[in-house]
């Protein structure tokens, strides 16, 4: 599913918006989500899940080409934890397959 697919679904489900307004709404949502995650804030969407920014510590790694040991710098990563409702729906849909 792409942003365009989401905008089209918003347009089809909400009779009061034009397709351009629906696309702008979806773009605004993702822009706000991106800004909050860049600031390191937790974004919780009830019934869907939580986006978290975690700092991964520095660690040692290995260059697969040369076999040399290298230092991998610490960095921030985005994690998503789905809500219990999404988990339950996913499990029940897998059981019917």
């Amino acid at each position: 599913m792409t942003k365009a697919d989401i905008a089209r679904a918003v347009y089809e489900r909400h009779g009061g918006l034009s397709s351009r307004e629906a696309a702008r709404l979806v773009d605004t949502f993702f822009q706000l989500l991106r800004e909050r995650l860049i600031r390191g804030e937790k974004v919780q969407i009830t019934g869907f899940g939580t986006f978290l920014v975690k700092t991964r510590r520095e660690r040692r790694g290995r260059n697969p080409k040369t076999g040399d040991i290298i230092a991998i710098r610490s960095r921030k990563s985005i994690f998503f934890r789905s809500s219990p409702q999404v988990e339950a729906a996913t499990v029940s849909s897998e059981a019917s397959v």
Side-chain angles (χ1 to χ4, degrees):
M1 177 174 258
T2 64
K3 276 191 346 182
D5 295 333
I6 296 169
R8 189 172 21 264
V10 168
Y11 168 72
E12 290 171 357
R13 291 184 184 193
H14 194 287
L17 291 176
S18 70
S19 60
R20 181 175 286 157
E21 290 171 329
R24 199 172 323 139
L25 178 74
V26 171
D27 284 338
T28 300
F29 170 76
F30 283 110
Q31 181 182 1
L32 289 170
L33 181 68
R34 189 178 314 115
E35 288 171 1
R36 300 302 164 124
L37 291 172
I38 288 170
R39 284 192 230 157
E41 296 178 24
K42 176 172 81 168
V43 178
Q44 183 175 0
I45 303 170
T46 304
F48 181 67
T50 304
F51 293 91
L52 303 162
V53 178
K54 293 184 179 181
T55 302
R56 300 182 81 150
R57 63 178 175 78
E58 185 174 314
R59 59 192 171 94
R60 292 186 319 167
R62 188 178 63 82
N63 181 335
K65 203 172 205 177
T66 63
D68 294 340
I69 302 295
I70 57 172
I72 300 173
R73 296 187 312 232
S74 66
R75 62 188 174 107
K76 292 184 179 183
S77 296
I78 298 172
F79 291 88
F80 177 74
R81 186 179 328 138
S82 59
S83 72
Q85 294 91 341
V86 172
E87 291 284 333
T90 305
V91 170
S92 65
S93 69
E94 288 177 357
S96 64
V97 173

